[in-house]
Structures are given as C-alpha cells and as structure tokens.
Amino acid sequence: TLTCTDNTDSNGLKSEITYDIEYQNDDVKFVKITYDYSNNSQTDGVGTGTDGTTEDTNNDNNGIIDGQVEEKADDLIDGVTDTILDLSGIRESHENRLNTYQDYDGFSSHVDTNNDERYKVVYEIDVTKMDQANLANFNIDKSLETTRSTFEDQGLTCK
C-alpha cells in the first residue's frame, strides 16, 4: 500500500486528506480517499460567534466570516475558489460532487462523521472498473508512478 497525505490547518479549519493506494507492480488497483475536516474555533467574524455568544476570536472587525481563504482547500473542492471556506461549505461541495460521482462504475462512498465540528467522508475507487476519464477527476492514473508523481507535485507526502 502506498499512502499519500496532505494536512492543512488554517484559521481553525483543519483538513486531513489521505489516499491509500493498493497496487500490483505499476498497476493501481484500488484507492481509498479519506477527507477529514474539523472545525476547531469557527466564529462568524461579526461579533456573534457560531456558538451563540457575542465573542469572536478574530478582532479585525472586517465583517468577514472567519474561515480558510485559499485558491482551493483541496483538488476535490476546485469549484470553490478564491472564497472563504467553512465546514458547511466543504460539506456542500462534497455533497454536490457525490451526486456526480455516484454514477461512476467502481465508485462508492460513505460519510463517517457529520456534525458541527467535524465532517469525514470516505471515497472508495475500484480502479479496475473505472475508466480513465473518470479517474482523472480524482487525479488518479492506472499507473502507480504517474499517480505518485501527480500527488507529490501537488504537495502530498507519499510513503
């Protein structure tokens, strides 16, 4: 098994992404992708924190909801760019993607955790059943070395 990981912690939003890749020789057979997001201290940035208090951990008074501002949090959420991401936005992005992916041969998924502080979803991809065009949506190639290279080029650590 080759495992590739990426961990990001920004503005109270922690993102842990793990790709567990089963292979034989250079042929990728199966990939399990785990997206694990946790919301450590999310407040709304306008003086009424999401916990119902009037305290806010970000005192910049800019009226913007605290969250992760990046080009993209991960490749799956490429539809949400240059915006503020919070746990509900990430959950919604995954739900939208799942509506597309559910029709792919060789794809299955399940949500492990879904609450206000954490969202964890697992995608399972049988590479032997999925066509290359659909695999490309996950940045997966049937070649292990190509997949490894793609993930490492994106900043993931593979072991």
Side-chain angles (χ1 to χ4, degrees):
T1 301
L2 174 68
T3 300
C4 298
T5 59
D6 182 52
N7 298 311
T8 305
D9 196 345
S10 178
N11 295 327
L13 181 64
K14 186 173 184 179
S15 168
E16 297 178 11
I17 302 164
T18 304
Y19 292 80
D20 291 314
I21 304 164
E22 301 294 329
Y23 63 92
Q24 184 175 15
N25 300 320
D26 188 50
D27 297 327
V28 175
K29 301 295 184 184
F30 187 86
V31 179
K32 177 180 169 185
I33 310 171
T34 304
Y35 295 93
D36 192 355
Y37 304 95
S38 57
N39 185 4
N40 300 328
S41 62
Q42 201 70 14
T43 54
D44 69 4
V46 293
T48 56
T50 56
D51 61 358
T53 68
T54 57
E55 297 298 321
D56 191 344
T57 59
N58 186 342
N59 295 319
D60 59 10
N61 294 317
N62 63 5
I64 298 175
I65 297 172
D66 298 348
Q68 182 171 348
V69 181
E70 288 190 21
E71 182 179 334
K72 54 188 172 182
D74 57 58
D75 288 336
L76 178 79
I77 307 175
D78 63 1
V80 182
T81 57
D82 298 324
T83 188
I84 296 168
L85 297 178
D86 61 9
L87 208 53
S88 76
I90 287 170
R91 182 181 298 113
E92 183 177 327
S93 293
H94 275 279
E95 289 169 356
N96 289 339
R97 292 293 183 143
L98 287 171
N99 286 333
T100 300
Y101 297 157
Q102 68 186 357
D103 294 330
Y104 290 2
D105 286 336
F107 178 82
S108 64
S109 68
H110 62 276
V111 175
D112 275 359
T113 308
N114 187 2
N115 59 45
D116 290 342
E117 280 78 39
R118 190 166 177 212
Y119 180 69
K120 182 177 180 181
V121 61
V122 177
Y123 294 2
E124 294 178 332
I125 301 165
D126 185 339
V127 176
T128 65
K129 294 181 181 177
M130 190 175 290
D131 64 46
Q132 188 60 49
N134 289 339
L135 286 172
N137 289 316
F138 302 99
N139 292 319
I140 296 170
D141 189 271
K142 292 185 179 193
S143 161
L144 178 65
E145 288 310 311
T146 301
T147 298
R148 177 199 298 261
S149 177
T150 299
F151 289 158
E152 289 177 342
D153 289 349
Q154 293 172 344
L156 280 79
T157 302
C158 296
K159 297 178 185 177

